[in-house]
PDB file of all heavy atoms in Angstrom:
ATOM      1  N   SER K 818      32.196  16.167  28.042  1.00 77.00           N
ATOM      2  CA  SER K 818      33.390  16.924  28.763  1.00 77.00           C
ATOM      3  C   SER K 818      34.524  16.104  29.038  1.00 77.00           C
ATOM      4  O   SER K 818      35.520  16.508  29.516  1.00 77.00           O
ATOM      5  CB  SER K 818      32.772  17.700  30.125  1.00 77.00           C
ATOM      6  OG  SER K 818      31.660  17.097  30.415  1.00 77.00           O
ATOM      7  N   HIS K 861      27.630  24.295  24.868  1.00 94.00           N
ATOM      8  CA  HIS K 861      27.439  22.846  25.609  1.00 94.00           C
ATOM      9  C   HIS K 861      26.175  22.348  25.175  1.00 94.00           C
ATOM     10  O   HIS K 861      25.058  22.952  25.494  1.00 94.00           O
ATOM     11  CB  HIS K 861      27.635  23.171  26.999  1.00 94.00           C
ATOM     12  CG  HIS K 861      27.568  21.739  27.708  1.00 94.00           C
ATOM     13  ND1 HIS K 861      28.375  20.733  27.470  1.00 94.00           N
ATOM     14  CD2 HIS K 861      26.742  21.340  28.671  1.00 94.00           C
ATOM     15  CE1 HIS K 861      28.043  19.703  28.148  1.00 94.00           C
ATOM     16  NE2 HIS K 861      27.038  20.024  28.977  1.00 94.00           N
ATOM     17  N   GLY K 933      21.289  19.642  34.321  1.00 93.00           N
ATOM     18  CA  GLY K 933      22.790  19.538  34.334  1.00 93.00           C
ATOM     19  C   GLY K 933      23.161  19.020  35.706  1.00 93.00           C
ATOM     20  O   GLY K 933      24.155  18.260  35.805  1.00 93.00           O
ATOM     21  N   GLY K 955      14.710  19.685  34.113  1.00 96.00           N
ATOM     22  CA  GLY K 955      14.885  18.948  32.940  1.00 96.00           C
ATOM     23  C   GLY K 955      16.155  18.081  33.127  1.00 96.00           C
ATOM     24  O   GLY K 955      16.998  18.382  33.961  1.00 96.00           O
ATOM     25  N   MET K 958      21.454  14.748  28.701  1.00 96.00           N
ATOM     26  CA  MET K 958      22.975  14.726  28.465  1.00 96.00           C
ATOM     27  C   MET K 958      23.323  14.921  27.075  1.00 96.00           C
ATOM     28  O   MET K 958      22.408  14.811  26.146  1.00 96.00           O
ATOM     29  CB  MET K 958      23.547  13.604  29.125  1.00 96.00           C
ATOM     30  CG  MET K 958      23.088  12.289  28.380  1.00 96.00           C
ATOM     31  SD  MET K 958      23.400  10.817  29.440  1.00 96.00           S
ATOM     32  CE  MET K 958      22.345  11.297  30.902  1.00 96.00           C
ATOM     33  N   THR K 959      24.633  15.226  26.745  1.00 96.00           N
ATOM     34  CA  THR K 959      25.070  15.464  25.406  1.00 96.00           C
ATOM     35  C   THR K 959      24.577  14.353  24.473  1.00 96.00           C
ATOM     36  O   THR K 959      24.092  14.655  23.384  1.00 96.00           O
ATOM     37  CB  THR K 959      26.601  15.459  25.455  1.00 96.00           C
ATOM     38  OG1 THR K 959      27.070  16.439  26.427  1.00 96.00           O
ATOM     39  CG2 THR K 959      27.145  15.971  24.103  1.00 96.00           C
ATOM     40  N   GLN K 989      13.198  14.505  38.659  1.00 97.00           N
ATOM     41  CA  GLN K 989      13.817  14.912  37.372  1.00 97.00           C
ATOM     42  C   GLN K 989      12.722  14.954  36.196  1.00 97.00           C
ATOM     43  O   GLN K 989      12.887  15.576  35.252  1.00 97.00           O
ATOM     44  CB  GLN K 989      14.988  14.140  36.868  1.00 97.00           C
ATOM     45  CG  GLN K 989      16.315  14.625  37.428  1.00 97.00           C
ATOM     46  CD  GLN K 989      16.423  14.441  38.925  1.00 97.00           C
ATOM     47  OE1 GLN K 989      15.783  13.627  39.546  1.00 97.00           O
ATOM     48  NE2 GLN K 989      17.203  15.304  39.585  1.00 97.00           N
ATOM     49  N   ASP K1047      23.710   7.102  34.793  1.00 95.00           N
ATOM     50  CA  ASP K1047      23.024   7.584  35.841  1.00 95.00           C
ATOM     51  C   ASP K1047      22.298   6.502  36.659  1.00 95.00           C
ATOM     52  O   ASP K1047      21.907   5.499  35.993  1.00 95.00           O
ATOM     53  CB  ASP K1047      21.919   8.687  35.605  1.00 95.00           C
ATOM     54  CG  ASP K1047      22.559  10.029  35.196  1.00 95.00           C
ATOM     55  OD1 ASP K1047      23.608  10.299  35.751  1.00 95.00           O
ATOM     56  OD2 ASP K1047      21.935  10.747  34.357  1.00 95.00           O
ATOM     57  N   ARG K1062      25.057   9.844  39.941  1.00 91.00           N
ATOM     58  CA  ARG K1062      25.892   9.333  38.726  1.00 91.00           C
ATOM     59  C   ARG K1062      26.320   7.983  39.360  1.00 91.00           C
ATOM     60  O   ARG K1062      26.750   7.726  40.430  1.00 91.00           O
ATOM     61  CB  ARG K1062      27.107  10.218  38.665  1.00 91.00           C
ATOM     62  CG  ARG K1062      26.735  11.626  38.055  1.00 91.00           C
ATOM     63  CD  ARG K1062      26.351  11.677  36.595  1.00 91.00           C
ATOM     64  NE  ARG K1062      27.431  11.522  35.697  1.00 91.00           N
ATOM     65  CZ  ARG K1062      27.257  11.430  34.447  1.00 91.00           C
ATOM     66  NH1 ARG K1062      25.980  11.432  33.912  1.00 91.00           N
ATOM     67  NH2 ARG K1062      28.290  11.324  33.566  1.00 91.00           N
ATOM     68  N   LYS K1151      29.940  21.426  36.620  1.00 84.00           N
ATOM     69  CA  LYS K1151      29.469  20.455  37.624  1.00 84.00           C
ATOM     70  C   LYS K1151      30.598  20.173  38.607  1.00 84.00           C
ATOM     71  O   LYS K1151      31.832  20.345  38.275  1.00 84.00           O
ATOM     72  CB  LYS K1151      29.182  19.178  36.861  1.00 84.00           C
ATOM     73  CG  LYS K1151      27.777  19.261  36.292  1.00 84.00           C
ATOM     74  CD  LYS K1151      27.437  18.059  35.609  1.00 84.00           C
ATOM     75  CE  LYS K1151      26.948  18.459  34.192  1.00 84.00           C
ATOM     76  NZ  LYS K1151      26.200  17.621  33.431  1.00 84.00           N
TER      77      LYS K1151
HETATM   78  P1  ADP Z1190      28.750  15.520  29.717  1.00 94.79           P
HETATM   79  O1  ADP Z1190      29.172  16.515  28.853  1.00 94.79           O
HETATM   80  O2  ADP Z1190      29.651  15.049  30.689  1.00 94.79           O
HETATM   81  O3  ADP Z1190      27.987  14.444  29.123  1.00 94.79           O
HETATM   82  P2  ADP Z1190      26.289  16.697  30.382  1.00 94.79           P
HETATM   83  O4  ADP Z1190      26.321  18.024  30.697  1.00 94.79           O
HETATM   84  O5  ADP Z1190      25.670  16.071  29.227  1.00 94.79           O
HETATM   85  O6  ADP Z1190      27.659  16.197  30.722  1.00 94.79           O
HETATM   86  O7  ADP Z1190      25.613  15.986  31.796  1.00 94.79           O
HETATM   87  C1  ADP Z1190      24.895  14.850  31.844  1.00 94.79           C
HETATM   88  C2  ADP Z1190      24.629  14.414  33.289  1.00 94.79           C
HETATM   89  O8  ADP Z1190      24.260  15.599  34.084  1.00 94.79           O
HETATM   90  C3  ADP Z1190      23.526  13.405  33.516  1.00 94.79           C
HETATM   91  O9  ADP Z1190      24.042  12.166  33.219  1.00 94.79           O
HETATM   92  C4  ADP Z1190      23.182  13.633  34.860  1.00 94.79           C
HETATM   93  O10 ADP Z1190      24.069  12.833  35.750  1.00 94.79           O
HETATM   94  C5  ADP Z1190      23.410  15.003  35.082  1.00 94.79           C
HETATM   95  N1  ADP Z1190      22.198  15.759  35.061  1.00 94.79           N
HETATM   96  C6  ADP Z1190      21.527  16.261  33.998  1.00 94.79           C
HETATM   97  N2  ADP Z1190      20.440  16.878  34.366  1.00 94.79           N
HETATM   98  C7  ADP Z1190      20.213  16.552  35.776  1.00 94.79           C
HETATM   99  C8  ADP Z1190      19.142  16.886  36.499  1.00 94.79           C
HETATM  100  N3  ADP Z1190      18.067  17.523  36.365  1.00 94.79           N
HETATM  101  N4  ADP Z1190      19.308  16.354  37.891  1.00 94.79           N
HETATM  102  C9  ADP Z1190      20.251  15.574  38.250  1.00 94.79           C
HETATM  103  N5  ADP Z1190      21.334  15.336  37.441  1.00 94.79           N
HETATM  104  C10 ADP Z1190      21.324  15.849  36.116  1.00 94.79           C
END
Side-chain angles (χ1 to χ4, degrees):
S818 23
H861 184 57
M958 61 199 63
T959 307
Q989 276 66 26
D1047 287 328
R1062 296 284 283 172
K1151 284 179 228 199

